[in-house]
Amino acid sequence: TNVLNRKSTLMDLSTWGTVNQNTKPIVELQNIETIWGHGDVSVIPRSGEDTNYRLSDGLLSIFEPGDLRSTVYIANKRSIKRTITAGIAKVGQAFRVSEALLNRAEAYAQLNKLGQANYGQLALNDLNTLRKKRFTTATYQDLTSTGADDLLLKCTLEKRREFFDEEAHRWFDLRRSGMPEIKHVYYPNNAQSLTYTLKERDPAYLLQIPMSILNLNPKLAPNPLPAVRQGQ
C-alpha cells in the first residue's frame, strides 16, 4: 500500500497499439509501470524468439479470451517482454506497479482465508484493477470468488499470467507452495522436443552453494545433489 500510494500508474494494453518488443518492450525503464530497473538484458536466461525455450502449454492455457497479454507479451509461444536488439531496453529485470498490486491482492486473500472476510473484496478489487488494463474493453468482466481457496488460486494464476519470464516470480511461488512436480519442454530443433521433469520437492529446486563460499565458511553444508536429468 505504501508503494501504491507513491506510484500506482498501470499500462493500458487496450491502447497499446502495434506490438514491437524492440520499440515497446515490457521490461524497460521507460515503461510507465517501472519502479526500478536493474541488470543487463544480455545475462538474463532467455525464452524469447532467439532461443530454443518456449513457454509451457500450461502457462499458455490459462490466458482467457480477450487477455491482451497473450499477444503483447508472447509471440510464437515465446516471451517478447524484452528487446532482442540494441533498442530501448537496457535492463534485464524491473520492479513494476503491477507487482505491488498483486502482492497486496494475495496478502488480502491470505487475511481473508484467516477469517477476516472484509479483505476478500479488497483482494478482488486489486485483481480487477489490474485486469481492466489487460483485457479488451469488449471482453473484460470483473472476477468473482467462490471462497477463500478459490480467491487465493485466482491470485496465483493472475501473478503467473503477468510475471512469467520476470524476476524469478514463478520459482519463488513454486518454492513456497510446496515445490510441486513440473515439466519443462526443450526444443533442440523444429522437429524434436525433450521433456525434463522436476519431481516434487526435487533437490534441483536449489542451486549449489558456490565452492568459493564453502571455502570461506567450512561450517556450511552443501545442498543435496540432484539426480542427473535426461530428456524424454
Side-chain angles (χ1 to χ4, degrees):
T1 298
N2 191 322
V3 170
L4 293 167
N5 285 343
R6 293 165 181 262
K7 183 177 174 70
S8 59
T9 307
L10 292 168
M11 57 184 176
D12 189 345
L13 297 189
S14 68
T15 60
W16 194 253
T18 302
V19 176
N20 187 326
Q21 73 190 98
N22 294 317
T23 58
K24 292 189 296 184
I26 299 300
V27 180
E28 61 156 322
L29 295 177
Q30 288 79 11
N31 187 326
I32 60 172
E33 283 192 19
T34 298
I35 298 170
W36 181 61
H38 65 100
D40 190 316
V41 69
S42 66
V43 300
I44 299 299
R46 302 297 300 280
S47 63
E49 291 188 296
D50 57 336
T51 76
N52 292 329
Y53 291 95
R54 302 179 191 176
L55 301 175
S56 72
D57 290 338
L59 170 61
L60 296 172
S61 70
I62 65 172
F63 287 95
E64 303 155 77
D67 191 332
L68 293 164
R69 290 171 292 194
S70 63
T71 54
V72 177
Y73 295 3
I74 298 169
N76 299 321
K77 295 189 176 182
R78 294 173 171 86
S79 168
I80 53 170
K81 286 184 170 182
R82 298 178 184 83
T83 182
I84 58 172
T85 67
I88 295 175
K90 300 297 183 183
V91 299
Q93 303 287 9
F95 296 168
R96 298 198 277 126
V97 170
S98 45
E99 179 181 347
L101 193 64
L102 292 186
N103 282 351
R104 186 173 70 176
E106 185 188 343
Y108 285 156
Q110 294 285 6
L111 289 170
N112 175 66
K113 186 174 174 63
L114 291 174
Q116 301 182 53
N118 56 309
Y119 283 102
Q121 187 58 52
L122 293 177
L124 283 171
N125 291 347
D126 280 349
L127 292 175
N128 289 326
T129 294
L130 176 70
R131 288 167 61 87
K132 286 175 184 176
K133 301 293 187 179
R134 299 299 188 257
F135 280 74
T136 64
T137 304
T139 59
Y140 174 76
Q141 291 184 335
D142 279 347
L143 282 181
T144 58
S145 171
T146 60
D149 289 335
D150 176 66
L151 182 56
L152 277 169
L153 177 60
K154 283 181 166 61
C155 290
T156 298
L157 292 176
E158 205 60 51
K159 192 174 182 184
R160 191 176 181 194
R161 283 185 282 259
E162 184 65 33
F163 297 122
F164 67 87
D165 192 33
E166 290 184 63
E167 290 285 341
H169 284 287
R170 181 65 174 158
W171 180 85
F172 283 109
D173 287 346
L174 289 168
R175 280 276 296 167
R176 64 192 179 91
S177 61
M179 294 182 282
E181 178 178 291
I182 57 175
K183 295 180 183 293
H184 286 163
V185 182
Y186 174 72
Y187 298 84
N189 52 61
N190 289 332
Q192 185 182 10
S193 67
L194 294 171
T195 299
Y196 291 85
T197 301
L198 192 68
K199 295 181 180 179
E200 182 179 3
R201 304 192 66 82
D202 198 301
Y205 261 101
L206 290 175
L207 295 176
Q208 280 301 310
I209 300 172
M211 186 56 66
S212 59
I213 303 302
L214 293 173
N215 289 338
L216 288 171
N217 187 350
K219 292 186 178 181
L220 287 175
N223 290 327
L225 287 173
V228 176
R229 262 176 241 323
Q230 300 290 335
Q232 302 294 325

